Short mmCIF file of all heavy atoms in Angstrom, two decimals:
data_model
loop_
_atom_site.label_atom_id
_atom_site.label_comp_id
_atom_site.label_asym_id
_atom_site.label_seq_id
_atom_site.Cartn_x
_atom_site.Cartn_y
_atom_site.Cartn_z
N PRO A 263 84.53 126.62 95.93
CA PRO A 263 85.80 126.18 96.50
C PRO A 263 86.99 126.59 95.63
O PRO A 263 86.85 126.82 94.42
CB PRO A 263 85.66 124.66 96.55
CG PRO A 263 84.69 124.35 95.48
CD PRO A 263 83.76 125.51 95.40
N THR A 264 88.13 126.64 96.25
CA THR A 264 89.37 126.96 95.54
C THR A 264 89.90 125.70 94.86
O THR A 264 89.51 124.57 95.24
CB THR A 264 90.44 127.46 96.52
OG1 THR A 264 90.80 126.37 97.40
CG2 THR A 264 89.95 128.66 97.32
N PRO A 265 90.79 125.85 93.90
CA PRO A 265 91.42 124.66 93.31
C PRO A 265 92.09 123.78 94.36
O PRO A 265 92.05 122.55 94.26
CB PRO A 265 92.44 125.25 92.33
CG PRO A 265 91.84 126.58 91.94
CD PRO A 265 91.19 127.08 93.20
N GLN A 266 92.68 124.39 95.38
CA GLN A 266 93.32 123.62 96.45
C GLN A 266 92.30 122.80 97.24
O GLN A 266 92.57 121.67 97.63
CB GLN A 266 94.10 124.55 97.39
CG GLN A 266 94.82 123.82 98.51
CD GLN A 266 95.81 122.78 98.01
OE1 GLN A 266 96.54 123.03 97.05
NE2 GLN A 266 95.82 121.61 98.62
N GLN A 267 91.11 123.36 97.45
CA GLN A 267 90.07 122.62 98.17
C GLN A 267 89.60 121.42 97.34
O GLN A 267 89.36 120.35 97.89
CB GLN A 267 88.90 123.53 98.51
CG GLN A 267 89.22 124.51 99.63
CD GLN A 267 88.12 125.51 99.85
OE1 GLN A 267 87.71 126.22 98.93
NE2 GLN A 267 87.63 125.58 101.09
N TYR A 268 89.47 121.59 96.03
CA TYR A 268 89.13 120.45 95.18
C TYR A 268 90.20 119.37 95.30
O TYR A 268 89.89 118.19 95.48
CB TYR A 268 89.01 120.87 93.71
CG TYR A 268 87.67 121.45 93.33
CD1 TYR A 268 87.55 122.80 93.01
CD2 TYR A 268 86.54 120.65 93.26
CE1 TYR A 268 86.33 123.34 92.65
CE2 TYR A 268 85.32 121.18 92.89
CZ TYR A 268 85.21 122.53 92.59
OH TYR A 268 84.00 123.05 92.24
N GLN A 269 91.45 119.79 95.20
CA GLN A 269 92.55 118.84 95.27
C GLN A 269 92.58 118.11 96.61
O GLN A 269 92.77 116.89 96.66
CB GLN A 269 93.88 119.56 95.03
CG GLN A 269 95.06 118.63 94.98
CD GLN A 269 96.36 119.38 94.69
OE1 GLN A 269 96.40 120.60 94.62
NE2 GLN A 269 97.42 118.62 94.53
N ASP A 270 92.37 118.83 97.70
CA ASP A 270 92.35 118.23 99.02
C ASP A 270 91.24 117.19 99.14
O ASP A 270 91.45 116.09 99.65
CB ASP A 270 92.19 119.31 100.09
CG ASP A 270 92.25 118.75 101.50
OD1 ASP A 270 93.22 118.04 101.84
OD2 ASP A 270 91.31 119.03 102.28
N ALA A 271 90.06 117.54 98.66
CA ALA A 271 88.92 116.61 98.73
C ALA A 271 89.18 115.38 97.86
O ALA A 271 88.89 114.24 98.28
CB ALA A 271 87.65 117.31 98.29
N GLU A 272 89.72 115.58 96.68
CA GLU A 272 90.02 114.45 95.81
C GLU A 272 91.10 113.55 96.41
O GLU A 272 90.99 112.32 96.36
CB GLU A 272 90.42 114.96 94.42
CG GLU A 272 89.26 115.58 93.68
CD GLU A 272 89.65 116.49 92.53
OE1 GLU A 272 90.85 116.82 92.37
OE2 GLU A 272 88.74 116.90 91.78
N ASP A 273 92.10 114.17 97.01
CA ASP A 273 93.14 113.38 97.70
C ASP A 273 92.54 112.60 98.87
O ASP A 273 92.92 111.46 99.12
CB ASP A 273 94.27 114.28 98.20
CG ASP A 273 95.17 114.79 97.08
OD1 ASP A 273 95.10 114.26 95.96
OD2 ASP A 273 95.93 115.74 97.35
N ALA A 274 91.60 113.21 99.58
CA ALA A 274 90.93 112.52 100.69
C ALA A 274 90.18 111.29 100.18
O ALA A 274 90.24 110.22 100.80
CB ALA A 274 89.97 113.47 101.40
N ILE A 275 89.49 111.44 99.06
CA ILE A 275 88.77 110.31 98.46
C ILE A 275 89.74 109.21 98.06
O ILE A 275 89.49 108.02 98.32
CB ILE A 275 87.93 110.76 97.24
CG1 ILE A 275 86.84 111.74 97.66
CG2 ILE A 275 87.36 109.55 96.48
CD1 ILE A 275 85.81 111.19 98.61
N ARG A 276 90.85 109.58 97.46
CA ARG A 276 91.85 108.57 97.08
C ARG A 276 92.40 107.85 98.31
O ARG A 276 92.61 106.63 98.28
CB ARG A 276 92.98 109.23 96.29
CG ARG A 276 92.56 109.67 94.91
CD ARG A 276 93.74 110.23 94.10
NE ARG A 276 93.21 111.00 93.01
CZ ARG A 276 93.08 112.34 93.01
NH1 ARG A 276 93.51 113.05 94.04
NH2 ARG A 276 92.55 112.95 91.98
N HIS A 277 92.64 108.57 99.37
CA HIS A 277 93.16 107.95 100.59
C HIS A 277 92.09 107.04 101.21
O HIS A 277 92.42 105.95 101.71
CB HIS A 277 93.63 109.01 101.58
CG HIS A 277 94.57 108.46 102.59
ND1 HIS A 277 95.91 108.29 102.34
CD2 HIS A 277 94.37 107.99 103.84
CE1 HIS A 277 96.49 107.74 103.39
NE2 HIS A 277 95.57 107.55 104.32
N LEU A 278 90.85 107.47 101.18
CA LEU A 278 89.76 106.63 101.69
C LEU A 278 89.65 105.36 100.85
O LEU A 278 89.45 104.27 101.40
CB LEU A 278 88.44 107.41 101.68
CG LEU A 278 87.22 106.71 102.21
CD1 LEU A 278 87.42 106.21 103.64
CD2 LEU A 278 86.01 107.64 102.14
N HIS A 279 89.80 105.48 99.56
CA HIS A 279 89.80 104.31 98.67
C HIS A 279 90.89 103.32 99.10
O HIS A 279 90.65 102.12 99.22
CB HIS A 279 90.01 104.75 97.22
CG HIS A 279 90.36 103.62 96.30
ND1 HIS A 279 91.66 103.31 95.98
CD2 HIS A 279 89.58 102.72 95.67
CE1 HIS A 279 91.66 102.26 95.18
NE2 HIS A 279 90.42 101.88 94.98
N THR A 280 92.08 103.83 99.35
CA THR A 280 93.20 102.98 99.77
C THR A 280 92.89 102.31 101.10
O THR A 280 93.13 101.11 101.27
CB THR A 280 94.49 103.82 99.88
OG1 THR A 280 94.78 104.38 98.59
CG2 THR A 280 95.66 102.98 100.35
N ALA A 281 92.34 103.06 102.04
CA ALA A 281 92.00 102.49 103.35
C ALA A 281 90.96 101.38 103.21
O ALA A 281 91.09 100.31 103.84
CB ALA A 281 91.49 103.58 104.28
N LEU A 282 89.95 101.61 102.40
CA LEU A 282 88.91 100.58 102.21
C LEU A 282 89.49 99.36 101.50
O LEU A 282 89.12 98.22 101.82
CB LEU A 282 87.73 101.16 101.41
CG LEU A 282 86.88 102.17 102.19
CD1 LEU A 282 85.93 102.89 101.25
CD2 LEU A 282 86.11 101.48 103.31
N THR A 283 90.41 99.57 100.59
CA THR A 283 91.06 98.46 99.91
C THR A 283 91.85 97.62 100.92
O THR A 283 91.83 96.39 100.86
CB THR A 283 91.97 98.97 98.78
OG1 THR A 283 91.16 99.69 97.84
CG2 THR A 283 92.67 97.84 98.06
N HIS A 284 92.52 98.27 101.85
CA HIS A 284 93.25 97.55 102.91
C HIS A 284 92.30 96.73 103.77
O HIS A 284 92.63 95.61 104.16
CB HIS A 284 94.06 98.51 103.77
CG HIS A 284 95.27 99.05 103.08
ND1 HIS A 284 96.55 98.72 103.44
CD2 HIS A 284 95.39 99.90 102.04
CE1 HIS A 284 97.40 99.33 102.65
NE2 HIS A 284 96.72 100.06 101.79
N ILE A 285 91.13 97.30 104.06
CA ILE A 285 90.15 96.58 104.86
C ILE A 285 89.69 95.32 104.14
O ILE A 285 89.51 94.26 104.75
CB ILE A 285 88.96 97.50 105.23
CG1 ILE A 285 89.41 98.56 106.22
CG2 ILE A 285 87.77 96.69 105.77
CD1 ILE A 285 88.41 99.68 106.44
N THR A 286 89.53 95.39 102.82
CA THR A 286 89.08 94.22 102.07
C THR A 286 90.12 93.10 102.08
O THR A 286 89.77 91.94 101.91
CB THR A 286 88.75 94.57 100.59
OG1 THR A 286 89.94 94.95 99.90
CG2 THR A 286 87.72 95.66 100.50
N ARG A 287 91.37 93.45 102.29
CA ARG A 287 92.44 92.46 102.27
C ARG A 287 92.75 91.88 103.65
O ARG A 287 93.62 91.04 103.79
CB ARG A 287 93.70 93.09 101.68
CG ARG A 287 93.51 93.45 100.23
CD ARG A 287 94.74 94.02 99.64
NE ARG A 287 94.51 94.38 98.25
CZ ARG A 287 95.08 95.38 97.64
NH1 ARG A 287 95.96 96.12 98.27
NH2 ARG A 287 94.80 95.64 96.38
#
Side-chain angles (χ1 to χ4, degrees):
T264 66
Q266 181 58 42
Q267 287 173 305
Y268 277 111
Q269 184 178 5
D270 183 54
E272 291 161 351
D273 287 346
I275 296 297
R276 289 184 198 98
H277 200 82
L278 182 56
H279 166 265
T280 300
L282 289 168
T283 300
H284 286 249
I285 290 168
T286 66
R287 295 182 181 148

